[in-house]
Each structure stands twice: as structure tokens, then as C-alpha cells.
Amino acid sequence: MDRPFKAIKVTDNVYWVGAIDWGIRDFHGYLTERGTTYNAFLVMADKITLIDTVKPPFLSELLARISSVVDPKEIDYVVSNHAEMDHSGSLVDVIDVVQPEKVFASSMGSKALKEHFHLDREIVAVKNGESLSLGNLSLTFLETRMLHWPDNMFSYLPEEKLLFSQDAFGMHLATSERFADEIDESILEYEGEKYYANILLPFSALVTKLLDKVGELGIEIDIIACDHGPIWRKDLDKIIGWYSKWAQQKPTNKAVVVFDTMWFSTAKMAEAIAEGLLAGGAQPKIMPLKSSHRSNVATEILEAGAVVVGSPTLNNNMYPTVADLLVYLKGLKPKNLVGAAFGSYGWSGEAVGQVRGMLEEMKIDLVDEGLRIKFVPDGDSLSKCFDLGLRVAEKIKALCESA
Ligand code: FEO
């Protein structure tokens, strides 16, 4: 028996033919606790068209699902909406099996695919707004540069009011269900938010522009078929509304207190700071880095008003886990945050200054120079920590009022 994977019908003419990756837990540094999917779609038009492919280990799953509908050799066109390897990684093998008449990508996508795979065949570069006839159906292409690579584009099937949105509106979520309306909303919101915080956050201004642009174009969308996680066929306002909210990065009174510790002194400081935050009316969320993944910290920060970062000094430097977090966060460019640095030290105590420097580079509005405590905090030191929490809480209030 061939691999018994089946396509799932999305509309009369469109099938999901992707792959489910139940086991993945690291997606370029992002903890994918619930796995993911690599969605690909088969459009059964006069010109049979495959939209996107899958990560290389899942090629046979893709081909088996296609084969449950049509012989893959019958496919006429392949459209690559995004060159990142989780969607294009099996493109060369797909081309080899299918021998399509044409392969399409955006102009940047055409270049990127050639640079990835050193292809000697033509990748037809489509223009923004261009339409492609599939005979009885058609596709219109909309470039979405830097959401989140230069090559990204949407493909729109007007006859079905269906938007193939590649990474946008997706989430890393492996499920047996293929549609969002079959899945618990709290899971969708959390995984959608985590995906936004860890993939799309640096491009939030472009997300807002894109949402406006789609509104202005008056494109009617009944279905959003994204490249990861469930397909949206109902309540589209939900995912679009969440994107609009996340893109604004409006501060709240949540304060993320994130730290690592050697001998529990920085941990004690974190707890006292959190008590001060609470007393000042903020909502602290303590995230020890020994048990908090960097991508979960980024997710919490998306809807926070403050980030307070603690590190002991180890060999004249900040703790390696704290450095890891700050480098990761810096790349995500979070906005509208106040913050502070803190930590215990033994003799040289460089870590707090280094953390402060990184937070300043991230344009986080700091309450002060940072709080350093030698060795183990005593009652006075813990009072200073509590006071730091109070001052951060005051600054969050001011930030929220001005936002
Ligand atoms: Fe799912 Fe940017 O790739």
C-alpha cells in the first residue's frame, strides 16, 4: 500500500495537500510546543495548480495527498508564494516528479529560488497585481514584501474568494483538524500570538499597511488558506482583528520580569521587584530563564508594558541565557515598553550595565541605571528591589496613559 495520506477538500476546486509535522519543537530558535503543518494547496482548475510545497522530509506525504486527487504528473503550474525552505524545500523534487509547464513566484521569489536551488529552469516572475488565467479559474498575485522575507506574496483565487496567504495569519499548530472553526479559540489565539510575536513582530508597520491595503482593494475574502496551522473559513474577523491588535503593540500593565540566577540572589531580587510591581498596580509575570524559552518570553512581551531583565555577573559578563534572550528580543524589535535591569554580583558586576546597554539599544525606556546588589540581598537590598518594582509600575501607568 502506498502511504495512505488523503487530500482534504477546502472548496469545490481547492484541496489541502500539505503535511503535518507533529514532532518539531525547534523552528529556527522558536519553541514549537504543538508542532506545525506545512500547508500546500491543489487548485483543480483547467490548469491544475499546486500552491507551495513542503519541507523536504515531507515530500512523500505531499505527493501521496496529491495522488489521492490527481496524478501529480497532471499538474500544470506550481506557484511558490514564499522561498523559505519550509515551503520551497521540496520544490526541486516536485518539479522533477511533476514536470510542470510553468513555475511562478514573485520577482524577488524567482531570484531567491534560483539562489537557493541553483535552478537552470525558468521561474516566471509575476508582477504585483498581475492575474494568471487557469482556464476556468484565475489567480491574482499580491506582493507582501518583508512579510517576512523580501519574496513573500499572496495568491488570490477570486472565483472562490480564497486568499492563499503563505506565512501571514498562520501559526505553528499540528492538529488533526484542518479548519480553525474546529479548534478551541484559546489555543488559536495563543498560538497565533506566539507566531506573530516570534515571526512577524519586526514588520508590524507593514502588517498594518497590508491590512489597510487589502481593505482599500475591496478584495472579498471568504477563506484564508495560510501555510501553517488551520485554514480560516469562518469568523475571519477574529484572526484579522488579532493581527490588527498585535501590530499596534499597545502597552498594558503587564510587566515581564525575566532573569537567570547562579545562587538564587538574582532570583530573590526578581521576586521582590515583582512584589513592588504588584503593589504599584502592575501585573508581574515572572519568567525564570531556566524554565522559560526565549520564544515564550517574546510572546508574553507582545502584550506587556514593561520588561525587567535580571542577570548575575559570570566571568565579567552577563549570564549566557540572558545574552541569548536579549539578542533574540533585539531582532524582534518590540515597541512601547518601559523597563529596568537588575542583578547580583560578587566583585566586578558588569552584567547589569551590559543588560542596560542592550535594553537601551532596543529603545526600551528605562527607569534608572539598573540595580546591582553584592552577593546575597539583605532586607535593605530587597527594599530597593521592591522600590524598583514600584517605580516601574508608575512608569507603565504613564506609558499606558500616553499610548
Ligand atoms: Fe513558513 Fe517564512 O516560512
Side-chain angles (χ1 to χ4, degrees), residues 27-28 36-38 82-87 147-149 151-152 166-168 172 195 199 227-228:
F27 193 98
H28 56 54
T36 194
T37 68
Y38 313 108
H82 183 22
E84 195 165 6
M85 301 288 252
D86 47 336
H87 310 296
L147 283 177
H148 64 127
W149 277 24
D151 59 272
N152 288 101
Q166 37 86 21
D167 280 339
H172 288 313
Y195 188 90
I199 305 279
D227 271 359
H228 295 291

Side-chain angles (χ1 to χ4, degrees), residues 265-276:
S265 292
T266 304
K268 285 176 186 155
M269 292 179 72
E271 287 162 2
I273 290 167
E275 287 299 313

Side-chain angles (χ1 to χ4, degrees), residues 236-251:
L236 270 54
D237 287 353
K238 205 173 279 174
I239 184 73
I240 292 169
W242 287 339
Y243 262 61
S244 175
K245 177 180 71 166
W246 297 328
Q248 288 176 40
Q249 296 182 70
K250 217 167 171 191

Side-chain angles (χ1 to χ4, degrees), residues 5 25 37 216:
F5 294 112
R25 290 295 178 270
T37 68
E216 284 162 19

Side-chain angles (χ1 to χ4, degrees), residues 81 113 187 192 238 266 273 292 351 376 396:
N81 277 332
L113 290 172
I187 294 175
K238 205 173 279 174
T266 304
I273 290 167
S292 305
V376 177
I396 296 174

Side-chain angles (χ1 to χ4, degrees), residues 63-190:
L63 293 174
R65 292 194 196 278
I66 293 170
S67 299
S68 72
V69 179
V70 68
D71 182 341
K73 289 187 172 33
E74 299 292 316
I75 292 172
D76 299 286
Y77 295 159
V78 177
V79 173
S80 173
N81 277 332
H82 183 22
E84 195 165 6
M85 301 288 252
D86 47 336
H87 310 296
S88 72
S90 56
L91 180 64
V92 173
D93 288 322
V94 165
I95 290 172
D96 206 35
V97 170
V98 168
Q99 295 293 315
E101 188 184 324
K102 288 182 179 171
V103 180
F104 300 91
S106 66
S107 57
M108 298 298 278
S110 172
K111 283 182 200 151
L113 290 172
K114 283 186 180 155
E115 285 163 358
H116 273 79
F117 303 113
H118 313 294
L119 291 166
D120 55 10
R121 73 163 287 151
E122 186 191 10
I123 305 290
V124 180
V126 296
K127 292 191 182 74
N128 187 37
E130 184 176 334
S131 285
L132 171 70
S133 172
L134 308 181
N136 58 332
L137 301 175
S138 63
L139 285 173
T140 302
F141 304 109
L142 179 64
E143 282 189 354
T144 58
R145 284 190 189 198
M146 294 318 299
L147 283 177
H148 64 127
W149 277 24
D151 59 272
N152 288 101
M153 70 174 185
F154 288 170
S155 297
Y156 178 62
L157 187 65
E159 295 83 1
E160 305 271 23
K161 297 180 183 165
L162 190 156
L163 183 72
F164 299 105
S165 67
Q166 37 86 21
D167 280 339
F169 307 116
M171 62 188 71
H172 288 313
L173 177 59
T175 52
S176 299
E177 299 82 8
R178 295 277 62 79
F179 298 97
D181 51 275
E182 301 169 321
I183 299 169
D184 185 285
E185 185 176 326
S186 63
I187 294 175
L188 296 174
E189 186 169 13
Y190 178 77

